Structure formats: C-alpha cells, structure tokens
Amino acid sequence: MRVRVEGESMRPALEPGDWLLVRRGAAVHPGDLVVARLPGDPDRLIVKRAQWRSEDGWWLESDNQRASGRRDSWDFGPVSDIVGRVVLRYWPLVRGRR
C-alpha cells in the first residue's frame, strides 16, 4: 500500500509530503518504521518507529518528540493494530536542502 506522510513527528527520517511503500502484514522488528491504526480513531493511520513489543502490542514512538501535535505510545500506550512495515520512501526522489 502507499501512504503519504503528514506532520513533522518523524523528522528527520521522514518529511511531510514523503510517499511511502508499506508492506501489509510484514514482520516488524525494533527500529522499523511502521504504519498503525491510531488508537481511538481506527480510520486514521499513523507512521511511527517500533521500539519494542510487549504482550499488549508494540510501543511506537515519534522520531521528533518536540513536533507539535505529535501522538505516540507515550500518549496512548502499546499498539496492537499494526497495518504494515515501511519498506521504501519513493517520493520525492531527491530532497532539497533546507
């Protein structure tokens, strides 16, 4: 599946407007970027870094903890509804310098 990044919570790894290729149901390991359903709003997807797995699900964190509007496992706890693992950022092909 394809996913477009919104917000700044995954900077510097991902930028707003990046497009990702996500493999549904792929095995997840600590450090992987994943797409999950937002707890409390299952129609909304989030992109986060998987930190560790507990019996309740994966602990997911933002790379940029200072981003405004950032929400991750520090806010809602472990997440069990992982949609897939990010395998590729395919757009833009080259990023400009900031």
Side-chain angles (χ1 to χ4, degrees), residues 14-70:
L14 301 174
E15 297 285 337
D18 285 356
W19 280 91
L20 311 173
L21 183 62
V22 178
R23 184 171 178 196
R24 290 180 183 263
V28 175
H29 305 309
D32 286 347
L33 292 175
V34 298
V35 172
R37 296 200 184 279
L38 180 63
D41 187 0
D43 291 334
R44 190 165 175 202
L45 299 176
I46 56 174
V47 179
K48 300 295 172 192
R49 191 168 304 279
Q51 295 297 333
W52 67 84
R53 183 171 177 82
S54 70
E55 60 187 42
D56 296 325
W58 278 94
W59 186 268
L60 305 179
E61 290 187 11
S62 302
D63 283 358
N64 180 4
Q65 288 292 313
R66 294 180 184 211
S68 65
R70 170 217 49 84

